[in-house]
Amino acid sequence: MEAEIIATGDEIRTGALVDSNSAHIALALEAEGVTITRHHAVGDDGEVLAGLFREVSGRADLAVVTGGLGPTVDDRSAEAAALAGGVSLRMDNVALRSIEAFFEKRGREMSPSNRKQAMLPEGSRRMDNPVGTAPGFSMSISRCRFFYLPGVPSEMRRMLREQVLPEIRSLQGEDRPVHRVLTLSTFGLPESVVGDRLNDLPTRFPELQLGLRAHFPSIQVRLYASGRDEANLESTLKAASEWVARRLDPIRVVSFVGEDLETVVGRLLREQGATLAVAESCTGGEIAHRITNVPGSSDFFLLSAVTYANSAKTEWLGVAPETIEAFGAVSEQTAKAMAKGVRERTGADFGVSTSGIAGPTGGSEEKPVGTVCIGIASPDRIKGYRYVFPFGRRRMNKTIFAASALDLLRRELMKRNE
Amino acid sequence: MEAEIIATGDEIRTGALVDSNSAHIALALEAEGVTITRHHAVGDDGEVLAGLFREVSGRADLAVVTGGLGPTVDDRSAEAAALAGGVSLRMDNVALRSIEAFFEKRGREMSPSNRKQAMLPEGSRRMDNPVGTAPGFSMSISRCRFFYLPGVPSEMRRMLREQVLPEIRSLQGEDRPVHRVLTLSTFGLPESVVGDRLNDLPTRFPELQLGLRAHFPSIQVRLYASGRDEANLESTLKAASEWVARRLDPIRVVSFVGEDLETVVGRLLREQGATLAVAESCTGGEIAHRITNVPGSSDFFLLSAVTYANSAKTEWLGVAPETIEAFGAVSEQTAKAMAKGVRERTGADFGVSTSGIAGPTGGSEEKPVGTVCIGIASPDRIKGYRYVFPFGRRRMNKTIFAASALDLLRRELMKRNE
């Protein structure tokens, strides 16, 4: 089956907003064995929308449309779908009640314009929105099945997964091919090196497709398999993922199921019944923020002291002023003293610290912007590390500093598992 | 003039790569007074590309195409442009010499496939690529001027700025219209309420266009103006932005130039020569992370103590165990004691604290998931706040908790400015 993807909204048309929905939908549909042929983005003009829906309806089997289901006058997807399909809009009472319930549950007043969101094209099939007010719907225009979803990514993703993909599977019928995607998360190799090391994958595993996805600073390696013999697919993917890990160096593979660093670190800590405390300077809370994004992190995460000022490093972490004076705040010695200090003062099993220069200012000849020192204090040793990254931008530096610290902690935890 | 934007490449078509080039190009062209009517993305198929170029050439005045100029067989933009324009490819010797020079300068061997990059459509105008190997080109197909740029964002951006925009300006001639965009950042009102309160903007300011952009949990209000009288545009925008602020309640407007909460808080702290310390429980470092994203935050940000464990709250912040016992860790009383403790222990002028339940577990009848207590300690008072947010998801809760704390601090700082 062939599908086209349509993003709507003046914010996307004028470039005020980068459309990440279309890529997400394309990945999900391709994983179901649907071929994406084309993406479109247009603004909020009802006539333009209806014209595009008619154009696509004559070409594709499936179309997924995002945006234009909100409560404002700019939200015209339902109206345009009705126009393109030659039907009228009617009030969907189930949708209306669910919008009313959404507001009631939150103790908020429903605005009159929200009623409009329950007006759906005649003959369409309502898709409930469990996390927002805008219901979606699916309908056939000419030979093409259209799926209309809200533009808010969290709402779109959940409705795609729970309602659109199952309907597409049932449209594909019994003998649809089986598709499997396996995602390896890696850390520590640039995308070009990962690509070079895996460039003979197509000759070794001709039945697989390879995709690399950069989610800075991690590179995800995706292996796509399709066919009709499920057991065979699984064993090919397993063999290929082991081959990939050997090619990249197994320690670079953070997860064979696409998890991020903090999730893996959290699992290792929990498995070992260990606790963690963090002392952050240059990462400014990003390590704590990432770790506490993991549900249940209060089981192992005790504290992060985000000590920007040197006085905070000495008073809160017990770093000797002489250490900072002799080696500088950005030094392996200070990083080690910070990790040791936060570990001892909290009674945690592991202490992790960062001190570095995220920029844009503060660099020197000897310690340029991009320099980070990381300390890892474990029950039996304290180690210091120093790296210089070439990215130059403050946000990227903070992110790679935090990821590097999490990765060093992951490696330390894995050693103890051996 | 009307323009369409075309992104090419199988990575974009299949969703392996999010296309951010098109949004960048759209913003840049709209700022020049060009109206973007449509975006497209297609894969690497030469016939499909040529068909799309022909389609667009019959509709738009301008088209900007990214990708497909690389050295591999998958790079087919020049070939497809020639096909669509009914011309052949010819070797461009200037382009060839510049590719050769690129490799020489870097001491790298030029691969034979790089020669292909110098084959441009007959009658096209070469655009030099100062930062990569792929030259771009512009050419007319039917009534439309096409600009072909590399897909690598840094190369594309530079060539767009230095070569494409000047050519577009000269195509527009003397009397091209002036365009202005004004962005107000707001916090504390949902998008539907903002939309409702501003729904008569088109009748009051018919010469303006309104755009709302949700960047959770903030809503940006954009006012677009175009015309030939620059002074008139500016005064209309000023009047409209004041009208918007009155309609939304001026305190809800975080910035009249699109800044985020942490940037505004940082500026207010710097203006007042004041310092800040933070004690975070449920926000888990997100406040510190956001504040330290602001360059120069080390001037005013002393410390954040991310105290997840109750023992950390008592030992590190001096919260009385009796306070936690009597009122709970999630209480206005504990939040006030945390803010007071971190302020006093660091000597900061302002102390901010959060304690709440981000979920997914830990909620109760009395304190459901989504409850947050925030403390603000200033030189002359300590205030506690309590909110319950309905979002349910851990990441969203952390984000709105952190934003609420930053916004309360912003309001406190603004009071002192009065």
Side-chain angles (χ1 to χ4, degrees):
Chain A
M1 293 183 119
E2 292 191 341
E4 303 194 19
I5 299 173
I6 301 173
T8 72
D10 276 342
E11 301 297 301
I12 290 171
R13 179 184 65 75
T14 61
L17 188 68
V18 172
D19 165 36
S20 61
N21 284 339
S22 296
H24 179 89
I25 294 165
L27 269 185
L29 265 64
E30 288 262 334
E32 296 293 333
V34 174
T35 302
I36 305 298
T37 53
R38 199 162 155 185
H39 301 221
H40 313 258
V42 287
D44 296 319
D45 183 303
E47 292 287 335
V48 170
L49 285 169
L52 179 57
F53 298 159
R54 275 191 295 259
E55 175 191 321
V56 170
S57 74
R59 203 165 47 202
D61 306 303
L62 304 170
V64 183
V65 183
T66 55
L69 303 180
T72 76
V73 288
D74 287 345
D75 292 300
R76 297 212 166 98
S77 285
E79 187 190 317
L83 192 61
V87 297
S88 27
L89 290 172
R90 56 160 176 71
M91 175 60 68
D92 184 305
N93 288 313
V94 178
L96 182 63
R97 277 198 299 278
S98 117
I99 296 170
E100 286 167 348
F102 180 93
F103 283 94
E104 252 165 51
K105 193 176 155 197
R106 284 154 181 83
R108 280 163 50 193
E109 184 113 10
M110 177 172 149
S111 99
S113 56
N114 289 107
R115 277 182 69 88
K116 178 177 92 75
Q117 296 184 284
M119 299 288 291
L120 302 183
E122 225 148 6
S124 69
R125 181 156 167 256
R126 185 191 60 256
M127 294 193 284
D128 294 323
N129 182 339
V131 278
T133 61
F137 59 92
S138 65
M139 68 184 279
S140 296
I141 303 175
S142 179
R143 67 179 197 83
C144 178
R145 189 73 184 167
F146 279 74
F147 298 87
Y148 291 87
L149 297 174
V152 178
S154 57
E155 300 177 15
M156 181 283 289
R157 288 175 184 220
R158 179 142 170 203
M159 291 169 71
L160 180 77
R161 188 175 65 238
E162 294 179 356
Q163 299 179 72
V164 177
L165 298 184
E167 190 173 334
I168 288 177
R169 274 176 218 130
S170 81
L171 289 173
Q172 286 174 315
E174 281 301 305
D175 67 346
R176 66 190 190 93
V178 183
H179 294 267
R180 289 284 175 277
V181 186
L182 198 137
T183 303
L184 289 82
S185 315
T186 75
F187 180 76
L189 293 172
E191 186 174 2
S192 59
V193 173
V194 174
D196 282 348
R197 291 206 191 162
L198 304 183
N199 65 2
D200 55 339
L201 185 128
T203 50
R204 291 192 175 247
F205 299 93
E207 62 277 55
L208 299 186
Q209 287 224 294
L210 172 69
L212 298 185
R213 192 173 181 193
H215 184 68
F216 180 80
S218 165
I219 304 294
Q220 292 201 328
V221 177
R222 286 171 196 252
L223 302 173
Y224 300 88
S226 39
R228 282 189 168 69
D229 180 347
E230 205 168 335
N232 184 41
L233 288 189
E234 298 286 358
S235 72
T236 305
L237 280 175
K238 187 162 186 299
S241 66
E242 284 162 7
W243 179 86
V244 167
R246 279 196 306 277
R247 275 295 167 98
L248 298 183
D249 181 355
I251 195 69
R252 307 278 193 187
V253 177
V254 172
S255 165
F256 283 88
V257 290
E259 296 159 317
D260 51 25
L261 275 166
E262 51 270 34
T263 301
V264 173
V265 162
R267 197 185 50 243
L268 290 167
L269 284 166
R270 184 167 296 141
E271 281 169 8
Q272 298 180 19
T275 54
L276 172 67
V278 182
E280 304 185 57
S281 185
C282 55
T283 50
E286 186 162 347
I287 296 177
H289 176 42
R290 287 181 62 169
I291 288 174
T292 62
N293 282 344
V294 179
S297 43
S298 53
D299 293 349
F300 52 82
F301 177 65
L302 300 185
L303 172 134
S304 175
V306 183
T307 51
Y308 241 46
N310 280 346
S311 59
K313 294 185 183 72
T314 56
E315 286 162 31
W316 289 66
L317 302 171
V319 177
E322 300 75 38
T323 304
I324 298 180
E325 205 161 297
F327 304 102
V330 179
S331 64
E332 284 141 277
Q333 290 84 351
T334 298
K336 283 163 74 174
M338 288 168 68
K340 178 170 180 281
V342 81
R343 177 177 178 272
E344 287 175 356
R345 293 200 168 193
T346 57
D349 298 302
F350 291 87
V352 171
S353 71
T354 59
S355 186
I357 302 150
T361 60
S364 67
E365 187 81 11
E366 194 205 348
K367 294 173 186 172
V369 167
T371 303
V372 64
C373 294
I374 296 170
I376 305 280
S378 72
D380 36 45
R381 61 176 185 171
I382 302 170
K383 288 203 69 174
Y385 303 84
R386 179 177 177 155
Y387 303 104
V388 182
F389 292 103
F391 302 104
R393 287 172 50 211
R394 180 176 182 83
R395 287 293 299 271
M396 289 176 90
N397 278 335
K398 276 184 69 179
T399 296
I400 196 149
F401 294 172
S404 301
L406 286 168
D407 192 57
L408 287 169
L409 175 60
R410 177 183 71 88
R411 291 173 177 229
E412 188 71 31
L413 289 164
M414 287 186 58
K415 277 204 194 94
R416 305 174 68 85
N417 259 358
E418 278 163 12
Chain B
M1 292 185 118
E2 291 191 342
E4 303 193 18
I5 298 173
I6 301 173
T8 72
D10 275 342
E11 290 97 337
I12 290 172
R13 180 184 64 75
T14 60
L17 188 68
V18 172
D19 165 36
S20 61
N21 283 340
S22 296
H24 180 88
I25 294 165
L27 270 185
L29 265 63
E30 287 263 333
E32 296 293 334
V34 173
T35 302
I36 305 298
T37 53
R38 202 162 154 184
H39 301 221
H40 312 258
V42 287
D44 296 318
D45 184 302
E47 292 287 334
V48 170
L49 284 169
L52 179 57
F53 298 159
R54 274 192 295 261
E55 176 192 321
V56 169
S57 74
R59 205 163 47 200
D61 305 302
L62 303 170
V64 182
V65 183
T66 56
L69 302 180
T72 76
V73 289
D74 287 343
D75 292 301
R76 298 212 165 98
S77 286
E79 186 191 318
L83 192 60
V87 297
S88 29
L89 290 173
R90 57 160 176 71
M91 176 60 69
D92 184 304
N93 288 314
V94 179
L96 182 63
R97 276 198 300 278
S98 119
I99 296 171
E100 287 167 349
F102 180 93
F103 283 94
E104 253 165 48
K105 195 177 152 193
R106 285 159 181 78
R108 281 162 51 194
E109 184 111 12
M110 178 171 149
S111 98
S113 56
N114 288 107
R115 278 182 67 86
K116 176 176 94 75
Q117 297 184 282
M119 300 287 290
L120 302 183
E122 226 149 5
S124 68
R125 183 158 165 254
R126 185 190 61 256
M127 293 193 285
D128 294 323
N129 183 342
V131 277
T133 60
F137 59 93
S138 65
M139 69 183 280
S140 296
I141 303 176
S142 179
R143 68 179 197 83
C144 178
R145 189 73 184 168
F146 279 75
F147 298 87
Y148 291 87
L149 297 172
V152 179
S154 56
E155 300 176 17
M156 181 283 289
R157 288 174 186 223
R158 180 141 170 206
M159 291 168 72
L160 180 77
R161 191 174 63 236
E162 293 178 357
Q163 298 179 73
V164 177
L165 298 183
E167 190 173 335
I168 288 177
R169 274 178 217 129
S170 82
L171 288 173
Q172 286 174 314
E174 281 300 303
D175 66 348
R176 66 197 187 91
V178 183
H179 293 265
R180 289 286 175 278
V181 187
L182 198 136
T183 304
L184 289 82
S185 316
T186 75
F187 179 76
L189 293 172
E191 185 174 3
S192 60
V193 174
V194 174
D196 281 347
R197 291 205 191 163
L198 303 183
N199 65 2
D200 56 339
L201 186 128
T203 51
R204 293 194 173 244
F205 298 94
E207 62 277 56
L208 298 186
Q209 288 224 294
L210 172 69
L212 298 185
R213 182 180 174 189
H215 183 69
F216 180 81
S218 164
I219 305 293
Q220 292 201 327
V221 177
R222 285 170 195 254
L223 302 172
Y224 301 86
S226 38
R228 283 187 166 71
D229 180 345
E230 205 168 334
N232 185 42
L233 287 189
E234 298 286 359
S235 72
T236 305
L237 280 175
K238 187 162 186 301
S241 65
E242 283 162 8
W243 179 86
V244 167
R246 279 196 307 276
R247 274 294 169 95
L248 299 182
D249 181 354
I251 195 69
R252 307 279 194 188
V253 177
V254 172
S255 166
F256 284 88
V257 290
E259 297 158 314
D260 51 26
L261 275 166
E262 51 270 34
T263 301
V264 172
V265 162
R267 196 185 51 244
L268 289 167
L269 285 166
R270 184 167 293 142
E271 281 169 8
Q272 298 181 17
T275 54
L276 172 67
V278 182
E280 304 186 57
S281 183
C282 55
T283 50
E286 186 163 348
I287 296 176
H289 175 43
R290 288 181 62 170
I291 289 175
T292 61
N293 282 343
V294 179
S297 43
S298 52
D299 293 348
F300 52 81
F301 178 63
L302 300 185
L303 172 135
S304 175
V306 183
T307 50
Y308 241 47
N310 280 345
S311 60
K313 292 184 184 73
T314 57
E315 286 162 33
W316 288 65
L317 302 171
V319 177
E322 300 75 37
T323 305
I324 298 179
E325 204 160 298
F327 304 102
V330 179
S331 64
E332 283 141 278
Q333 290 84 351
T334 299
K336 283 163 73 174
M338 289 169 68
K340 177 172 180 279
V342 81
R343 178 176 177 271
E344 286 175 357
R345 293 199 167 193
T346 57
D349 299 302
F350 291 88
V352 171
S353 71
T354 60
S355 185
I357 302 150
T361 59
S364 67
E365 187 79 12
E366 194 203 350
K367 293 172 185 173
V369 167
T371 303
V372 65
C373 294
I374 296 170
I376 305 282
S378 71
D380 37 45
R381 61 174 185 171
I382 303 169
K383 287 202 72 174
Y385 302 85
R386 178 176 178 157
Y387 303 104
V388 182
F389 292 104
F391 302 104
R393 288 173 51 214
R394 181 176 181 84
R395 286 295 298 270
M396 289 177 91
N397 278 335
K398 276 183 69 179
T399 296
I400 195 151
F401 294 171
S404 300
L406 287 168
D407 193 57
L408 287 169
L409 175 60
R410 177 183 70 90
R411 291 173 178 229
E412 189 72 30
L413 289 163
M414 287 187 56
K415 277 204 195 94
R416 306 173 68 84
N417 258 358
E418 280 163 10

